[in-house]
């Protein structure tokens, strides 16, 4: 079995923020043996003077400050007044014992590290960042709930084949630039004045943003460094004794003489072959080790990549994977056409609630245990999951093994505890508890299983194997796993008189064959030379960090008809099955897989609809290169733009809109995501795969 933990998942409108419990000097109440935290599943005995742990079943004395009498049912009289005794999710304020060197942490910091090489200046990236950062980024620094201002401090670094630090101390008249030319042994030239309050140093930041484009307007430097840039950012946070995040804007492969230098090793012809693992694996462990050093320093790294050529995402992406960061990629970036998408992504990344310097531990009750972990993080041992930062979009999947007897009466308990530093610099513990029923009937297991989590687990298991196994073998493993799961149900839970020619699926797993086929035929495992090596590597990193809802959206996209929406309706129209059979020549459909957004327009769409939405008389006149919806006054235009806005608001990144006309050159790319149909790469349709899986099940049960 498996669980997926998204410790800081976005709350639904009807959900409350997990309450914060402050027990003062005594700190969080824990089991003295296994160190599990107080939860509603702990049982108080001996008149409330002891509690029995729900994880290891040992008894722990209750400290006098936490004592309360029990009522006639054996529950504490204050059970409903304490979040940790009546809720599944809550937080504790941590004491100094939970802090490094027994010192309470300082508020975190953000460092913006801007590539000022020739490619970056020419594309308009430098000018875009500097012109927008004051109004579109810094005002949206994350704030603690209830606080009017952000505690986050900011710093700025520019770089090409050397590094430039800036002193922005509010008492100065203008910014001071300090150059670090020795990239072999990088150091931080200043501490005081580098990380500043964005409000106090507003005038100097404004001056710096005007100065940077002028300083590098005529640069001819094309070779850049990257390793020393990340190293310098990490050292700056260490010198300031705080956690933080680096926002690194990079345009090219780091080929300058420096630690972390890379060579172009791209060979798209290997994709889809047994040798693809050579180019999808890191070429060295430099960036992996650098990421581990960053985790120790509580320094998370987000990479914003703007390549015109190969940039080796497989290697440099390791630093994001290990630190719990994120990779954003904008190929052939031009500020005029891609600038808004990039700024939307950057703003969302900056204002997102983040937990810094996080350590997660998953504890399970007797009979089950965590055996493997999947996601973007660092594990220094077999049980601690360490991340320099984790946000609402990240999911950690844990494989759990049943290796001892379980009790039907007591059930099983899983507790995930995350120790972290908040936006304001407070050390906290967030605790999530999950109680599970146990049964002696296999049919109960199939009836109550969570298919969505299973899909997330199967996908991440497949991603793990991409760098060690060949694609065909990985796909065969997925088929075998699916067949064994369903064969077990057929053998143990169905009427023996049923015909072997009849495919019988459990109610909770009716869609397992559909999702299994979607994983098998996805670009994760089927991506060939028609996509770039960097795009494939980026996708592997992206899927590995996904939570359950994001992975479902990626493997089975939503196909939403919008040609018949009522202008006065609200919310999203109901999606339809993801197949070309569902497309009508007079229809318009949105396809959303969480990473990209398509609008498919049939040849026979009503001319009035086209006029209302695009302001032209026919689909042939739509400017598909701009791929932007015009803000027209018509009710239909407003409704369509509202639907697109709603879809984008649900996703972690700004979805780029591609407009595809029926029978246009982009249509094969759109149809690639109609996952119920046979693929251009020879992958099976859903119906064909179902028949193949049925044969496998019959072979296993015969």
């Amino acid at each position: 079995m498996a669980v997926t933990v998204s410790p800081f998942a976005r709350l639904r409108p009807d959900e409350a923020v997990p309450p914060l419990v402050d027990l003062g000097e005594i700190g969080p109440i824990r089991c003295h043996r296994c160190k599990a935290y107080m939860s509603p599943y702990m049982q108080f005995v001996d008149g409330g003077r002891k509690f029995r742990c729900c994880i290891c079943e040992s008894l722990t004395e209750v400290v006098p400050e936490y004592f309360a009498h029990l009522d006639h049912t054996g529950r504490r009289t204050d059970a409903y007044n304490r979040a940790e005794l009546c809720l599944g999710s809550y937080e504790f304020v941590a004491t100094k014992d939970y802090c490094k060197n027994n010192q309470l942490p300082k508020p975190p910091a953000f460092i913006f590290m801007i590539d000022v090489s020739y490619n970056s200046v020419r594309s308009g990236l430098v000018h875009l960042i500097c012109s927008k950062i004051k109004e579109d980024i810094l005002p949206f620094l994350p704030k603690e709930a209830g606080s009017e201002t952000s505690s986050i401090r900011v710093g700025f670094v520019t770089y090409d084949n050397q590094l430039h630090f800036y002193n922005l101390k509010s008492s100065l008249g203008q910014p001071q630039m300090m150059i670090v030319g020795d990239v072999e042994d990088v150091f931080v030239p200043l501490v005081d004045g580098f990380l500043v309050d964005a409000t106090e140093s507003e005038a100097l930041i404004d001056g710096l943003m005007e100065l940077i484009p002028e300083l590098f307007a005529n640069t001819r430097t094309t070779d850049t460094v990257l390793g020393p840039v990340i190293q310098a950012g990490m050292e700056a946070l260490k010198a300031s004794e705080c956690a933080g995040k680096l926002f690194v804007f990079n345009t090219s492969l780091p080929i300058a003489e420096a630690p972390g230098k890379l060579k172009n090793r791209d060979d798209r012809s290997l994709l889809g072959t047994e040798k693809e693992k050579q180019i999808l694996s890191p070429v060295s462990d430099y960036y992996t080790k650098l990421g581990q050093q960053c985790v120790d320093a509580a320094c998370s790294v987000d990479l914003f990549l703007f390549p015109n050529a190969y940039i080796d995402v497989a290697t440099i992406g390791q630093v994001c994977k290990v630190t719990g960061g994120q990779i954003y990629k904008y190929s052939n970036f031009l500020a005029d056409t891609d600038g808004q998408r990039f700024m939307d992504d950057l703003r969302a990344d900056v204002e997102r609630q983040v937990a810094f310097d996080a350590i997660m531990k998953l504890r399970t009750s007797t009979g089950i245990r965590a055996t493997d972990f999947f996601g973007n993080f660092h594990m220094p041992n077999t049980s601690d999951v360490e991340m320099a930062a984790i946000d609402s979009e990240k999911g950690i999947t844990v494989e759990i093994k049943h290796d001892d007897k379980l009790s039907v009466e007591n059930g099983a308990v899983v507790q995930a505890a995350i120790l972290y530093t908040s936006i304001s610099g407070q050390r906290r513990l967030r605790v999530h508890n999950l109680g599970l029923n146990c049964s002696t009937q296999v049919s109960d297991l199939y009836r109550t299983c969570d298919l969505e989590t299973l899909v997330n687990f199967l996908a991440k298991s497949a991603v793990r194997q991409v760098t060690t196994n060949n694609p065909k073998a990985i796909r065969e493993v997925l088929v075998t796993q699916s067949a064994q799961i369903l064969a077990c149900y057929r053998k143990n839970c169905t009427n023996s008189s049923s015909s072997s020619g009849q495919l019988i699926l459990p109610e909770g797993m009716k869609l397992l064959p559909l999702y299994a086929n979607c994983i098998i035929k996805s670009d994760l495992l089927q991506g060939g030379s028609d996509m770039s090596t960097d795009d494939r590597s980026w996708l592997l990193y992206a899927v590995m960090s996904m939570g359950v809802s994001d992975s479902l959206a990626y493997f089975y996209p939503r196909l939403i008809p919008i040609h018949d929406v009522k202008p006065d309706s609200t919310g999203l129209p109901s999606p339809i099955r993801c197949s070309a059979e569902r497309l009508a020549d007079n229809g318009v459909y949105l396809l959303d897989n969480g990473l990209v957004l398509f609008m498919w327009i049939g040849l026979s769409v009503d001319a009035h609809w086209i006029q209302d939405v695009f302001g032209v008389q026919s689909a042939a006149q739509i400017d598909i290169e701009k791929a932007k919806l015009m803000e027209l006054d018509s009710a239909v235009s407003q409704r369509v733009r509202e639907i697109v806005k709603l879809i984008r608001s649900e996703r972690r990144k700004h979805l780029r809109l591609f407009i595809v006309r029926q029978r246009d050159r982009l249509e094969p790319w759109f149809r690639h995501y109609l996952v119920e149909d046979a693929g251009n790469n020879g992958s099976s349709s859903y119906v064909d795969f179902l028949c193949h899986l049925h044969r496998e099940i019959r072979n296993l049960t015969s």
Side-chain angles (χ1 to χ4, degrees):
M1 58 184 278
V3 297
T4 296
V5 186
S6 294
F8 300 91
R10 281 192 277 183
L11 299 174
R12 294 195 302 266
D14 59 337
E15 290 182 314
V17 176
L20 181 61
V21 179
D22 189 351
L23 297 176
E25 291 297 319
I26 64 173
I29 306 299
R30 310 178 69 176
C31 168
H32 77 97
R33 182 183 174 194
C34 72
K35 304 303 180 185
Y37 294 93
M38 180 55 64
S39 80
Y41 300 109
M42 300 292 191
Q43 182 182 2
F44 286 86
V45 296
D46 194 14
R49 288 183 286 272
K50 295 178 181 178
F51 66 86
R52 177 171 285 108
C53 179
C54 59
I55 301 296
C56 69
E57 299 185 357
S58 68
L59 290 175
T60 299
E61 296 276 350
V62 175
V63 294
E65 298 92 331
Y66 196 71
F67 174 79
H69 292 285
L70 307 184
D71 62 18
H72 67 285
T73 65
R75 288 181 64 86
R76 282 174 57 121
T77 54
D78 64 348
Y80 292 104
N81 296 325
R82 290 188 177 276
E84 72 274 20
L85 298 180
C86 65
L87 297 178
S89 299
Y90 43 85
E91 292 189 335
F92 290 112
V93 175
T95 59
K96 289 183 179 179
D97 297 337
Y98 294 84
C99 304
K100 290 180 180 178
N101 304 320
N102 286 334
Q103 290 184 342
L104 295 175
K106 296 178 181 178
F110 286 172
I111 301 178
F112 298 90
M113 316 191 84
I114 307 168
D115 178 349
V116 289
S117 65
Y118 175 73
N119 287 336
S120 186
V121 173
R122 186 189 62 177
S123 68
L125 176 64
V126 173
H127 181 268
L128 177 67
I129 293 173
C130 293
S131 63
K132 297 287 188 180
I133 205 159
K134 176 188 175 182
E135 294 182 359
D136 291 0
I137 303 301
L138 296 184
F140 299 96
L141 292 173
K143 305 178 182 68
E144 196 68 71
S147 176
E148 293 184 2
T149 59
S150 175
S151 303
I152 299 284
R153 292 173 295 160
V154 297
F156 296 89
V157 174
T158 55
Y159 70 94
D160 39 36
N161 54 13
Q162 56 186 11
L163 283 71
H164 324 110
F165 286 75
Y166 298 93
N167 188 343
L168 298 171
K169 195 171 183 179
S170 57
S171 58
L172 295 174
Q174 61 183 26
Q176 292 180 349
M177 178 182 185
M178 298 184 183
I179 299 175
V180 177
D182 183 6
V183 291
E184 292 290 338
D185 186 18
V186 73
F187 67 95
V188 181
L190 78 159
V191 176
D192 185 32
F194 176 62
L195 296 177
V196 297
D197 183 285
T199 304
E200 290 180 3
S201 298
E202 182 179 4
L204 275 84
I205 293 174
D206 290 350
L208 178 62
M209 293 303 107
E210 293 175 4
L211 179 64
I212 289 174
E214 295 176 7
L215 284 175
F216 302 100
N218 299 315
T219 183
R220 288 294 177 264
T221 305
T222 56
D223 53 337
T224 61
V225 297
L226 182 60
V229 176
I230 297 170
Q231 181 84 30
M234 178 189 71
E235 295 295 342
L237 292 174
K238 285 173 68 175
S240 299
E241 299 179 341
C242 68
K245 181 186 281 194
L246 309 182
F247 297 84
V248 183
F249 309 103
N250 183 264
T251 60
S252 57
L253 191 72
I255 58 173
E257 286 298 330
K261 175 184 176 181
L262 297 174
K263 296 179 180 178
N264 190 333
R265 61 185 181 116
D266 190 20
D267 187 353
R268 289 170 69 158
S269 64
L270 297 181
L271 293 178
T273 72
E274 292 191 5
K275 294 182 179 180
E276 72 171 16
K277 53 179 175 274
Q278 297 175 11
I279 53 171
L280 296 177
S281 301
V283 70
S284 73
D285 62 358
Y286 172 82
Y287 286 94
T288 306
K289 289 182 176 178
L290 180 58
Q292 292 169 0
Q293 294 171 22
C294 287
V295 172
D296 293 338
C299 169
S300 175
V301 182
D302 281 1
L303 282 177
F304 290 79
L305 304 176
F306 307 86
N308 293 329
Y310 180 69
I311 201 170
D312 203 349
V313 172
T315 299
I316 65 176
Q318 280 292 305
V319 74
C320 297
K321 179 182 187 296
V322 174
T323 62
Q326 190 72 34
I327 307 171
Y328 298 83
K329 185 170 176 289
Y330 311 87
S331 298
N332 302 309
F333 177 86
L334 289 174
D336 291 342
T337 54
D338 304 304
Q340 190 58 52
R341 178 166 62 103
F342 158 56
M343 293 309 299
D344 286 347
D345 283 343
L346 178 57
R347 175 175 161 177
D349 196 21
V350 166
E351 70 178 345
R352 190 173 287 138
Q353 289 295 315
V354 183
F356 296 93
D357 196 10
I359 303 174
M360 187 186 93
K361 199 174 186 79
L362 193 89
R363 296 178 173 88
T364 57
S365 55
T366 305
I368 56 176
R369 62 185 176 91
T371 57
D372 207 352
F373 297 79
F374 302 85
N376 291 348
F377 49 74
H378 172 53
M379 290 194 73
N381 52 49
T382 57
S383 61
D384 291 347
V385 176
E386 294 188 0
M387 296 154 287
I390 179 172
D391 59 39
S392 58
E393 309 304 321
K394 303 293 192 307
I396 299 161
T397 303
V398 186
E399 184 176 8
I400 294 178
K401 185 177 181 181
H402 173 207
D403 61 359
D404 206 344
K405 290 183 179 179
L406 290 169
S407 165
V408 174
E409 293 76 22
N410 297 332
V413 175
V414 178
Q415 184 181 84
I418 303 92
L419 177 65
Y420 74 98
T421 300
S422 72
I423 292 293
S424 60
Q426 188 179 46
R427 202 68 174 150
R428 297 178 183 174
L429 274 154
R430 177 167 288 204
V431 182
H432 295 292
N433 299 282
L434 179 64
L436 301 167
N437 291 328
C438 295
S439 174
T440 56
Q441 302 297 317
V442 179
S443 58
D444 290 339
L445 182 69
Y446 280 93
R447 191 176 64 253
T448 57
C449 73
D450 187 340
L451 176 61
E452 289 81 2
T453 302
L454 179 60
V455 171
N456 182 274
F457 167 69
L458 291 174
K460 291 185 178 181
S461 300
V463 171
R464 170 83 63 84
Q465 299 175 60
V466 166
T467 56
T468 57
N469 215 335
N470 70 72
K472 184 180 178 183
I474 300 171
R475 295 194 291 268
E476 288 174 352
V477 166
L478 274 167
V479 174
T480 302
Q481 286 176 322
S482 302
Q484 288 175 339
I485 290 171
L486 298 175
C488 178
Y489 176 80
R490 178 66 193 248
K491 190 178 294 184
N492 298 294
C493 306
T494 61
N495 193 328
S496 58
S497 61
S498 300
S499 167
S500 62
Q502 184 180 1
L503 177 61
I504 302 177
L505 301 175
E507 189 64 34
M509 288 192 178
K510 277 188 174 179
L511 297 179
L512 176 60
L514 172 64
Y515 282 118
N517 189 40
C518 290
I519 297 173
I520 289 168
K521 67 191 296 183
S522 71
D523 288 333
L524 278 179
L525 305 181
Q526 288 274 15
S529 57
D530 54 340
M531 70 185 303
S532 73
T533 308
D534 280 337
D535 283 345
R536 180 84 180 280
S537 297
W538 175 82
L539 188 58
L540 293 171
Y541 284 128
V543 171
M544 202 61 168
S545 70
M546 284 181 179
V548 172
S549 59
D550 285 337
S551 58
L552 282 185
Y554 172 69
F555 291 112
Y556 194 92
R558 285 187 298 193
L559 186 61
I560 300 173
I562 59 172
H563 53 278
D564 53 1
V565 292
K566 301 283 192 299
D568 57 350
S569 60
T570 57
L572 291 177
S574 299
I576 59 176
R577 290 180 63 170
C578 208
S579 169
E581 292 180 357
R582 305 285 168 159
L583 302 178
D585 289 351
N586 63 346
V588 181
Y589 304 85
L590 287 172
L591 186 143
D592 151 45
N593 74 344
L595 301 178
V596 70
L597 182 63
F598 290 97
M599 180 184 287
W600 184 88
I601 302 172
L603 286 175
S604 305
V605 176
D606 182 52
H608 291 98
W609 195 94
I610 296 293
Q611 180 70 45
D612 286 344
V613 176
F614 293 99
V616 294
Q617 295 179 351
S618 68
Q621 294 176 305
I622 298 172
D623 186 354
I624 63 172
E625 296 299 325
K626 285 188 176 179
K628 189 175 182 180
L629 296 176
M630 298 174 64
E631 296 189 12
L632 303 177
D633 289 335
S634 73
V636 174
S637 171
Q638 292 173 2
R639 179 68 179 120
V640 169
R641 282 185 280 115
E642 179 192 341
I643 292 172
V644 170
K645 185 177 179 181
L646 275 171
I647 292 173
R648 282 174 169 162
S649 69
E650 295 176 359
R651 303 306 181 202
R652 71 162 82 181
K653 62 191 291 289
H654 181 93
L655 299 183
R656 183 178 180 182
L657 177 64
F658 291 92
I659 296 175
V660 180
R661 287 183 295 241
Q662 188 177 11
R663 296 176 192 164
D664 262 8
R665 57 184 175 82
L666 284 179
E667 192 178 29
W669 185 29
F670 164 79
R671 287 181 177 269
H672 173 67
Y673 293 101
L674 299 177
V675 291
E676 290 199 26
D677 301 334
N680 296 328
N681 51 14
S683 56
S684 302
S685 68
Y686 171 46
V687 173
D688 290 342
F689 180 77
L690 203 58
C691 295
H692 173 62
L693 194 63
H694 189 197
R695 287 193 294 271
E696 294 292 320
I697 295 169
R698 291 175 65 179
N699 291 337
L700 290 171
T701 54
S702 59

